Amino acid sequence: MLAGIAAYVKRVRPGVLVIGVEAEDAAGMTASIKAGKLTTLDQVGIFADGAAVRTVGTETFRICNELVDDMVTVSNDEICAAVRDCFEDTRAMLEPAGAMSVAGMKKYLAARPADAETGAKGTHVAILSDSSNIEFDIFRFIAERAAIGEQKEALFALHAPDESGMFYKMYQAVQPRLVTEFVYRHAPDKVATVFMSIERADELRPISEEVDDVIKGLADVRVKAVDITGNELAKTHARYLAGSRPGVIDGER
C-alpha cells in the first residue's frame, strides 16, 4: 500500500509528503530504508499482524526507498488509542494494522510545531485499511491500552509496606489523580508488590510531569514506585498478577 500510494502521489503531486507507518516491533521497512538496503528482522511482534513481516518485498523496498519521505513507528498502546479514535469517530472497529496510519499521523504531528510549513495548519490525510481481521478477545486489550496510548494514564510497579491502611495512604499520596487499576500481591517479607494505574489530573501537563509527581508523593509514604508505562513485558505480567505468593517452609518448596 505504501509503495503504491507513494508512486501515484509523487507522480501527480511531487510536493506532497508521503509518510509510512509501522509498528515498533515490526518495522522492517524503517530498518531497510535506514540501512539503505533490504534488511531482515530477527523477529516481529504480531499485535498488528496484518503488517508484520520479517522481510519486506524487494520491489516494495525499492519504490519506498526512492519515494517515501519519512517513516514513523508506533507502539502497541498508540495503535490501541488510534483504534478507539476511529471507533469513536465512525463507529467502525478497525484491526490494529488498519488503524496504524492514524496512530502515525498523531505522533508525527505531535512532534512538530504548528507553523505554516510543517505544522498542523496544513492538510493531512491518513489512509486506513481494514479487513476486519480481528479476534473478539483482543477488544479488551485495546480498551485497556488505549488510555495509555493517549498518554492519559500511567502504570507503576510499587514496593509498599504490607500493613493495614497502606492503600489509603497511597491513594492520598496520588490525589487528585484517579486510581484506575490496583493489582496486589502479598509477600512473606512484609513488602507487597503492587501494580497501579493512575489517570493524570491535568490534561494540559505532560504525562512525564505527572509521573514525577506520583513517584515523589509515594516516596513520602515509604512506597518505592517505578514507571513501567513503556515496559511491554511488565504490562503483560501485571495483567496476570493477583493473590498471594507461596511461602517457603523448612526449606521445602
Side-chain angles (χ1 to χ4, degrees):
M1 178 182 288
L2 176 59
I5 290 172
Y8 177 80
V9 169
K10 290 299 184 180
R11 182 175 181 84
V12 177
R13 294 284 298 275
V16 173
L17 298 180
V18 178
I19 313 298
V21 184
E22 291 184 300
E24 290 178 347
D25 55 5
M29 183 63 75
T30 302
S32 296
I33 291 177
K34 184 177 181 179
K37 61 181 181 180
L38 205 59
T39 301
T40 298
L41 302 177
D42 294 333
Q43 59 184 13
V44 295
I46 59 172
F47 179 61
D49 55 353
V53 294
R54 292 182 61 201
T55 309
V56 298
T58 303
E59 183 64 7
T60 303
F61 166 68
R62 184 189 70 80
I63 296 173
C64 291
N65 191 43
E66 179 182 346
L67 300 178
V68 171
D69 295 286
D70 200 357
M71 295 292 299
V72 177
T73 59
V74 291
S75 67
N76 289 345
D77 294 339
E78 290 167 333
I79 295 173
C80 289
V83 172
R84 187 175 69 179
D85 288 338
C86 295
F87 176 77
E88 291 179 348
D89 286 347
T90 67
R91 286 299 185 264
M93 180 61 73
L94 277 72
E95 64 173 292
M100 278 201 307
S101 60
V102 172
M105 185 171 68
K106 290 169 62 180
K107 189 170 185 176
Y108 183 84
L109 294 178
R112 288 157 177 79
D115 57 55
E117 294 182 359
T118 61
K121 292 183 179 179
T123 298
H124 303 86
V125 178
I127 300 177
L128 290 72
S129 66
D130 183 39
S131 62
S132 299
N133 182 27
I134 186 170
E135 299 291 336
F136 183 81
D137 292 342
I138 203 67
F139 291 156
R140 178 183 177 184
F141 179 89
I142 292 173
E144 291 172 345
R145 293 294 188 87
I148 293 177
E150 291 279 6
Q151 295 193 354
K152 294 180 179 179
E153 287 188 4
L155 181 63
F156 299 87
L158 312 178
H159 290 288
D162 192 0
E163 59 189 37
S164 177
M166 201 62 218
F167 174 76
Y168 179 67
K169 292 178 183 178
M170 286 190 286
Y171 186 72
Q172 283 186 314
V174 301
Q175 283 187 332
R177 302 166 190 87
L178 297 179
V179 176
T180 56
E181 187 168 10
F182 190 88
V183 186
Y184 165 90
R185 174 178 283 174
H186 168 75
D189 57 3
K190 300 298 182 179
V191 178
T193 300
V194 178
F195 284 80
M196 183 164 64
S197 181
I198 296 176
E199 184 177 286
R200 69 180 184 182
D202 186 351
E203 294 187 0
L204 298 179
R205 295 183 68 199
I207 189 67
S208 58
E209 294 182 5
E210 296 265 358
V211 167
D212 290 342
D213 288 349
V214 167
I215 292 175
K216 291 176 183 177
L218 289 170
D220 291 339
V221 293
R222 298 179 295 130
V223 176
K224 181 181 178 181
V226 178
D227 176 24
I228 60 169
T229 308
N231 188 320
E232 192 66 29
L233 179 62
K235 286 185 290 189
T236 301
H237 176 65
R239 179 63 43 234
Y240 302 101
L241 176 67
S244 300
R245 180 185 305 164
V248 178
I249 302 176
D250 297 330
E252 298 180 358
R253 295 183 183 275

